[in-house]
Structures are given as structure tokens and as C-alpha cells.
Amino acid sequence: MAVAAAQKNREMFAIKKSYSIENGYPSRRRSLVDDARFETLVVKQTKHSVLEEARARANDSGLDSEFIQDATHIGNDDNTPTVEDGTQQDETKNGHLADADIGDDAANADEDYTLTEEEVILQNAASESPEAEQAIQQAALLLRMRDGMGTLARILKTIDNYKGCVEHLETRPSQAPGVQFDALVKVSMSRINLLQLIRSLRQSTSFAGVDLMSDNNISSKTPWFPRHASDLDNCNHLMTKYEPELDMNHPGFADKDYRERRKQIAEIAFAYKYGDPIPSITYTESENATWQRVFNTVLDLMPKHACREYKAAFGKLQAADIFVPHRIPQLEDVSNFLRKHTGFTLRPAAGLLTARDFLASLAFRVFQSTQYVRHANSPFHTPEPDCIHELLGHIPLLADPSFAQFSQEIGLASLGASDSEIEKLSTVYWFTVEFGLCKENQQLKAYGAALLSSIGELLHALSDKPELRAFEPASTSVQPYQDQEYQPIYYVAESFEDAKEKFRRWVSTMSRPFEVRFNPHTERVEVLDSVDKLETLIWQLNTEMLHLTNAVKKLKGLHFE
């Protein structure tokens, strides 16, 4: 229901959107940052819906009837077991802590039991089959004890009654008011008994809190991410804002033929699979004419305003007869060109992907590019990326080794990142790859694709009107972006190398609990989560360093001769 509601709201929101055109550029435009924020909202709504549904199901069916077993099945034969350390014999009963510890609040809580997210995951795993219920699960419980260390004996006895094994136990004085100690208990027991253990502990007034901190083999905390470029076949989730069918202000909204043309080209992208040659598009005379107008404009602006790396790659694309004014390049030709120069390749996309999917592609040096062309009535703007923007804006710099490396590092940082971190990475992408400026002989030059493919904003960015700030990822990643008019703030990189170094330092502060690297030999992303993997990588790096050291020595020897 939440997803459907979000989709409906999104479509209504898209229809109400409007933009104005100044110097051939829209003031309202579709962006990776906006989509990242929308994606985060949808994920939160979906997660909330799933959790509420699971909690309601647990309450309606009664967790007692589904998961609570009678003491004759769970506990010892004695329903009032003793505790060896001298505590009262009635402190546990039927596998629970003593009834004396359970107040009215706990009894009420039993009637409307609220599962945490971790418990929902555990419950869903346990409900898959009878075998899944009895599967042994390791978990860490954080218990906040009100009554001091004497409670530990009751905890251990309760765990034993649920046929659990304590693998680790540690305590510390608590900083929380009204709580004397925090206890971290790592246990191993069946999933069904673990759920009941948590419930039993929560019903005791001896604890201010009982939290399931972690559980192995069951986690929704780290999202799935592709490990090989072939996995990108599963990364084709589109954001549907500003589509010509939805946005009445889209240049193609009233053009039935244009909308049909877009659908035909989109179907080609949807059918594409890893390893296939990129299908050619037979562009119409009108589409080639639109390309030519924008191409000639870029040629006029490039000598004065583009960075040297862009101009050098643009010249190579012209020399290869890929960039010509009268014909839109085919993605397969461009992809082959990039592969030779930086290892990047192209993959056809039906539209703007979700931020997570798009950034993940960059990790494999794959750039997702559309093949459709903006509407002929608006040659100098489009509310969503089209092939003209991507070919003239992005492709030249993806042929530059330093910039290609920077783009891949953004992609690698996104793998397994949280939703909030995806939003920050998208914002960095927005202010660098799309709207970035750099210094060149003390002069400002553009390297951002949105600047190099836009007349109005390029001239605005290089004027004295906006504020210019040094690129610092920590501050750049949280800077609000402007999508209704020209950017009031642009970030200036000293160089691509300087930008990469700052970006690496910032990424190291992210919360992702693991590191990844791209193995160019296997074309796979490797998670560096074991000593063996690290030792192999260190050995490879030592070999590379040996070759580099020998090369330097030989060069020095030739120099002195």
C-alpha cells in the first residue's frame, strides 16, 4: 500500500511540476540527488509498511500461540528450577523470569507486543518452515539491568531454560539513568526459542531495555549490490518523474509520435543483457538535426570554457570519426572507444536509474546511457538526461584516465552504502561530475557534464554571480542543491588528483563496515572481509611495487648514462 501510495503521489507531483527556460536550459530539471532522496523516502515507507504488517500479524495470530512453547517442551522437567548461586527458587517459572518481576505494564505489553525490525527479520526467517524454526541462530543481546549484578543469574537460568548456550558475556556500568549495568550476551539457540527468550526478558521489570543487536545469516542492514558487471542486468529500476507521459510540461507531453518513439527505444534498453552488442538506433533526420545544433554550440564554447582533459578527449573522438556534426554516434562505437582508453564501457538505459543502481554501475566502469533524443522543439534543454547530454557532457571525460578513476571510486563507495550515504554520494556526484569546476592556470574551467552541455548555466557558472567554494566532500555532500534555477554555489577542484585524494579520505569515514575493491582481472568486486583476501591483495601490491621500483631504477640508470 505504501509503495502504491508513493507511486501515486509521485505521479501527481510530476504532473504539477513546471519549469522555465532561460538561455536554452530548464530551471526545473531531473537530478540524481532528487531521485536519491525520493528513493530514500520510498524505502522508508516500504520498510515501515512491511514492519507494521509483520507486527500486526504477530499480534493478531498471537506470538504466544506461534512461538511460545510449554515449559515441558522448552524448559527442564522441574517447572520451578533453582538457581545455584542462592537466589530465590521461584525467580524463574515456566522458562520465564519470576512472575514477581512482571508488572502490569509487562502484562499489557504481552497483549500488544511490538516487534523490532531485527525481530521481524528473525520471525520471518523462522516462519519459512519447521526446519527454519529449529535452525540454530547466533545473536547478541544488549540487556540494561536495573537491579544490579544479581540479575545475571536469572538471565543465565532463563537462557538455559530455552536450551540456549551462552558464548560470550560482558558487563559494564551503564550511563543511562535508572540502569545500573549493561550486559552484552552472545547466545546460540534455535530461532523460535530466541524469539521467546527476548519476549520473556522484556516482560521482566528487572530490565530497562532488551535489544537484539545482531544476528548472523539474517540481515536487511546491508543491501544487495552487484559483484560483477553481469549483475547489472538486475539494476534497471527507473525513476518515473518528468517522463513525457506524466509531466504535462514536458516538451513531448502532447506529441504522441515522440512518446511512441521513446517507448520503442526504451524497449531496446530493457531487452539488453550483459555481453550483448549494444543495438544500433536508426536516428531520424529530425533527431540528427537536434544533435547538430547542440554539437555546434559545444564546439563554439569548448575552446574557451572547457578543461584541457575534456578538449583533448573530444579531439580524439573527432579523429576517430565518432563525434561528427551530422550524425548521432552509436553507443557501441563510443563504448569500444572508451574501452581502449580507460576501460569504461556503455550500457543502454531506458531512462534515469535509481541513484543506487546508477552509482553501482560506475564501480564496474560501466556508464548507463540513454539512447533517446530530446524533443525537437527544445534542442537546448531536456527535463531528463538524453543521449545528447550524455554523449557531449559525460563521454569525453570518461575517456580521461584520471577522471575515469574518480568516477569509479564514487561507484565503489556506493556499494553496500546506507540510503543516507547514497544521498550524500549523489550530491557529491551532482556538484562534481555534473556541475564541477576546476582550476587551470589560475583560470576557471568547466568539467561538469551539465555545464558543458548547457549554454546558460555554463556562462552563469563562469561569471561573477555565483559563490565558488573549494571542493571538500564532507561539506559538499550535505550542500542543498538547486533545481529551480541556476546554482548559487559551485565547487572548484584544484585538480582531478586533488579531488580524488580528498574523496578517498572522506569515504574512509563512511559507516560501511567493510571495504571493496575492483579486481580488473576477474572484473569482479571483492569484499575485503578476511585475512586471506587481504594477504592476497598485499602480495599482489608488493609485486606491483617491485616492478615499479625496478622501472624507476632502470630509468635513472638510462638518465645517468
Side-chain angles (χ1 to χ4, degrees):
M1 292 295 293
V3 175
Q7 176 70 15
K8 182 177 180 181
N9 291 337
R10 175 170 60 183
E11 294 178 1
M12 293 299 297
F13 180 70
I15 292 175
K16 294 178 181 178
K17 287 285 187 181
S18 64
Y19 55 80
S20 62
I21 303 171
E22 181 180 351
N23 293 328
Y25 200 73
S27 60
R28 168 66 70 176
R29 52 186 171 267
R30 185 176 181 183
S31 79
L32 199 68
V33 186
D34 192 31
D35 282 350
R37 292 174 179 173
F38 183 83
E39 186 180 353
T40 298
L41 177 62
V42 171
V43 169
K44 287 182 179 179
Q45 291 175 338
T46 303
K47 182 183 291 186
H48 178 75
S49 176
V50 170
L51 291 176
E52 288 303 312
E53 181 181 349
R55 289 164 180 161
R57 186 169 62 249
N59 291 332
D60 292 342
S61 62
L63 191 63
D64 284 331
S65 62
E66 185 173 355
F67 286 110
I68 299 179
Q69 301 181 8
D70 190 82
T72 58
H73 296 108
I74 298 178
N76 298 329
D77 293 336
D78 184 359
N79 287 339
T80 56
T82 61
V83 180
E84 279 76 10
D85 64 355
T87 52
Q88 295 179 0
Q89 291 186 356
D90 63 348
E91 283 174 328
T92 57
K93 184 177 181 181
N94 292 341
H96 296 263
L97 293 182
D99 289 339
D101 285 339
I102 304 176
D104 293 337
D105 292 340
N108 292 334
D110 187 59
E111 296 175 2
D112 187 19
Y113 182 60
T114 300
L115 296 173
T116 66
E117 180 179 346
E118 289 79 5
E119 289 169 61
V120 168
I121 298 169
L122 184 62
Q123 176 183 316
N124 289 340
S127 63
E128 291 179 357
S129 66
E131 293 77 15
E133 288 182 355
Q134 299 302 324
I136 299 301
Q137 183 69 43
Q138 293 179 325
L141 300 175
L142 178 61
L143 310 176
R144 295 176 177 87
M145 301 185 295
R146 289 193 176 103
D147 301 333
M149 299 301 291
T151 309
L152 275 179
R154 294 190 293 245
I155 294 172
L156 297 176
K157 187 62 179 177
T158 304
I159 293 173
D160 182 64
N161 284 346
Y162 284 104
K163 299 187 180 299
C165 175
V166 176
E167 298 184 347
H168 179 83
L169 172 64
E170 62 179 273
T171 62
R172 67 180 181 185
S174 178
Q175 302 297 317
V179 179
Q180 293 193 33
F181 292 95
D182 293 333
L184 178 66
V185 187
K186 293 184 179 181
V187 298
S188 178
M189 60 200 312
S190 68
R191 289 170 177 166
I192 191 171
N193 286 359
L194 177 59
L195 282 163
Q196 180 50 30
L197 170 66
I198 295 170
R199 185 186 184 108
S200 177
L201 293 173
R202 283 224 179 95
Q203 291 176 339
S204 171
T205 56
S206 297
F207 304 107
V210 179
D211 296 316
L212 176 61
M213 299 296 294
S214 64
D215 48 83
N216 67 318
N217 302 324
I218 305 176
S219 177
S220 64
K221 299 301 184 183
T222 301
W224 173 91
F225 59 85
R227 303 299 179 93
H228 186 267
S230 60
D231 295 334
L232 297 178
D233 289 347
N234 300 317
C235 296
N236 58 357
H237 307 103
L238 300 181
M239 305 300 285
T240 56
K241 294 175 297 178
Y242 306 138
E243 296 291 339
E245 291 84 1
L246 299 178
D247 183 6
M248 66 177 62
N249 291 299
H250 192 288
F253 180 77
D255 190 335
K256 182 178 179 181
D257 291 338
Y258 178 78
R259 296 201 308 270
E260 184 61 31
R261 172 72 165 164
R262 286 279 297 267
K263 289 181 180 179
Q264 292 173 358
I265 296 178
E267 288 302 319
I268 294 174
F270 281 129
Y272 178 84
K273 298 298 181 183
Y274 171 78
D276 295 344
I278 302 176
S280 296
I281 303 294
T282 303
Y283 290 106
T284 66
E285 182 178 344
S286 174
E287 290 168 337
N288 282 316
T290 300
W291 159 268
Q292 185 167 12
R293 293 185 65 181
V294 182
F295 183 86
N296 289 335
T297 301
V298 172
L299 280 181
D300 291 339
L301 296 173
M302 181 176 60
K304 182 178 180 181
H305 300 303
C307 65
R308 66 169 66 93
E309 291 85 356
Y310 180 91
K311 290 185 287 189
F314 198 100
K316 292 178 181 178
L317 285 159
Q318 286 179 300
D321 199 35
I322 294 175
F323 274 8
V324 293
H326 61 278
R327 182 189 70 240
I328 299 175
Q330 294 295 332
L331 292 193
E332 181 72 10
D333 296 333
V334 178
S335 184
N336 291 334
F337 176 88
L338 290 177
R339 184 185 288 108
K340 293 177 183 178
H341 288 80
T342 61
F344 253 90
T345 58
L346 299 183
R347 180 187 174 96
L352 187 63
L353 300 177
T354 64
R356 186 180 294 278
D357 284 352
F358 177 79
L359 294 177
S361 302
L362 298 178
F364 302 90
R365 298 207 171 203
V366 172
F367 185 83
Q368 304 252 13
S369 175
T370 55
Q371 290 180 287
Y372 60 81
V373 181
R374 63 194 63 177
H375 198 272
N377 291 341
S378 302
F380 293 109
H381 81 89
T382 175
E384 78 272 75
D386 73 329
C387 68
I388 294 179
H389 162 76
E390 291 166 344
L391 289 168
L392 294 178
H394 288 284
I395 296 306
L397 278 173
L398 288 176
D400 177 77
S402 184
F403 189 84
Q405 177 67 25
F406 176 67
S407 299
Q408 184 181 29
E409 290 190 25
I410 293 178
L412 287 169
S414 76
L415 300 180
S418 66
D419 293 332
S420 62
E421 288 167 340
I422 290 293
E423 184 178 323
K424 290 180 179 179
L425 287 166
S426 300
T427 305
V428 169
Y429 186 93
W430 172 269
F431 283 112
T432 55
V433 178
E434 293 289 356
F435 289 94
L437 297 172
C438 62
K439 291 181 180 179
E440 194 173 289
N441 298 326
Q442 303 305 313
Q443 292 184 331
L444 285 179
K445 300 292 182 179
Y447 71 88
L451 295 178
L452 291 165
S453 59
S454 154
I455 302 171
E457 183 128 13
L458 175 62
L459 299 178
H460 168 77
L462 297 174
S463 70
D464 58 359
K465 296 179 181 179
E467 177 186 351
L468 302 181
R469 297 179 182 176
F471 173 62
E472 293 292 343
S475 57
T476 303
S477 65
V478 295
Q479 173 63 39
Y481 79 103
Q482 178 60 260
D483 69 347
Q484 295 183 348
E485 55 190 32
Y486 296 148
Q487 301 295 312
I489 298 171
Y490 297 92
Y491 287 89
V492 182
E494 295 294 328
S495 65
F496 291 147
E497 292 303 320
D498 179 66
K500 283 194 297 183
E501 183 57 34
K502 290 178 177 177
F503 182 78
R504 290 187 187 111
R505 290 199 298 267
W506 174 66
V507 165
S508 67
T509 67
M510 292 172 62
S511 62
R512 187 177 62 181
F514 54 84
E515 286 293 330
V516 299
R517 71 179 287 265
F518 178 72
N519 187 327
H521 307 296
T522 62
E523 297 183 342
R524 298 189 66 85
V525 165
E526 299 173 350
V527 179
L528 303 179
D529 57 358
S530 70
V531 174
D532 290 342
K533 291 180 181 179
L534 291 177
E535 288 179 344
T536 300
L537 178 57
I538 291 172
W539 178 81
Q540 293 173 349
L541 292 176
N542 285 338
T543 302
E544 292 294 327
M545 286 301 299
L546 178 62
H547 291 314
L548 292 174
T549 302
N550 290 337
V552 170
K553 290 179 180 178
K554 292 176 181 179
L555 287 174
K556 287 182 176 180
L558 291 174
H559 176 74
F560 285 115
E561 289 179 3

